[in-house]
Amino acid sequence: EKLVIAIAKTPFQVVEYPLLEVIVRYQHGGRESRFLALNESTVKSVEGTLVMDVEMRGEHFETFRGDGLCVSTPSGSTAYNKALGGAIIHPTIDSIQLSEMASINNRVFRTVGSPLVLSAHHTCLLRPVNNVDFQITIDHLSLLHEDVKSIQFLVAPEKIRFARFRPFPFWKRVHDSFIAN
């Protein structure tokens, strides 16, 4: 009861951060599933090499070959995305980031080999090329998918809202998490 009273009397600021929208479309029946993620979504091969055509804004960008792909929000940019070599993005920026997991880059197969940051009005669409089962994670939800036609990623129209009761600057949190002893 004391906590509720203290919160009610304390001035606060509302902060909003973008979410990731993931739309999985299936080959048969015109079925689709929609998910929201606060941090990231991954697509990983269960066995063998994952091969996905990657489209940006409706145009073929590349054919990815490797272990998988990670699409993160700015909030998730300090998590798995960072471990994959992705950039840390301030959480108030409406964007998503696509990072590769162990891509195959040689004379025959090429990928961009760098994380890509997409603004809010851009979409990323993955289309399976080979007949390999793959796993899709959306934050901590893990799904094994078969019969997938495409997976679309974009900045969701919804945002997550937090009540901030005291200043806690983002770059200070990053410093304290990764640099300070």
Side-chain angles (χ1 to χ4, degrees):
E1 190 175 318
K2 290 179 183 179
L3 176 63
V4 172
I5 292 168
I7 290 173
K9 290 182 176 182
T10 304
F12 65 91
Q13 173 188 13
V14 175
V15 293
E16 294 184 335
Y17 296 153
L19 295 169
L20 173 65
E21 180 177 5
V22 182
I23 301 170
V24 181
R25 294 185 178 91
Y26 298 91
Q27 296 279 2
H28 299 96
R31 211 171 43 112
E32 68 179 41
S33 299
R34 180 179 184 264
F35 305 91
L36 293 175
L38 173 61
N39 292 311
E40 74 269 323
S41 176
T42 64
V43 180
K44 301 177 189 176
S45 64
V46 175
E47 59 181 69
T49 301
L50 181 75
V51 183
M52 291 273 176
D53 279 337
V54 179
E55 292 181 12
M56 300 290 185
R57 298 188 70 194
E59 300 284 327
H60 183 269
F61 181 75
E62 70 179 8
T63 300
F64 172 83
R65 288 172 176 82
D67 287 353
L69 293 161
C70 175
V71 181
S72 67
T73 65
S75 297
S77 69
T78 57
Y80 194 17
N81 169 75
K82 182 180 178 302
L84 294 169
I88 295 176
I89 299 175
H90 195 279
T92 58
I93 298 173
D94 286 342
S95 64
I96 58 175
Q97 184 170 182
L98 174 69
S99 299
E100 300 176 350
M101 296 176 209
S103 61
I104 299 172
N105 267 308
N106 56 33
R107 290 182 301 121
V108 179
F109 304 122
R110 291 276 194 230
T111 67
V112 72
S114 294
L116 303 173
V117 178
L118 285 72
S119 64
H121 63 282
H122 289 186
T123 62
C124 174
L125 186 81
L126 304 181
R127 293 186 193 277
V129 173
N130 57 355
N131 200 16
V132 172
D133 288 344
F134 52 89
Q135 177 184 32
I136 300 173
T137 66
I138 297 105
D139 283 339
H140 296 292
L141 176 66
S142 183
L143 309 166
L144 181 62
H145 281 281
E146 298 172 351
D147 195 39
V148 171
K149 178 180 178 182
S150 66
I151 309 161
Q152 182 177 359
F153 302 95
L154 61 152
V155 175
E158 300 91 344
K159 292 187 181 286
I160 190 160
R161 300 174 80 196
F162 295 100
R164 175 153 303 140
F165 290 93
R166 63 186 186 336
F168 195 27
F170 175 71
W171 296 114
K172 171 122 176 72
R173 290 194 317 258
V174 169
H175 174 270
D176 292 352
S177 295
F178 301 110
I179 299 170
N181 289 329

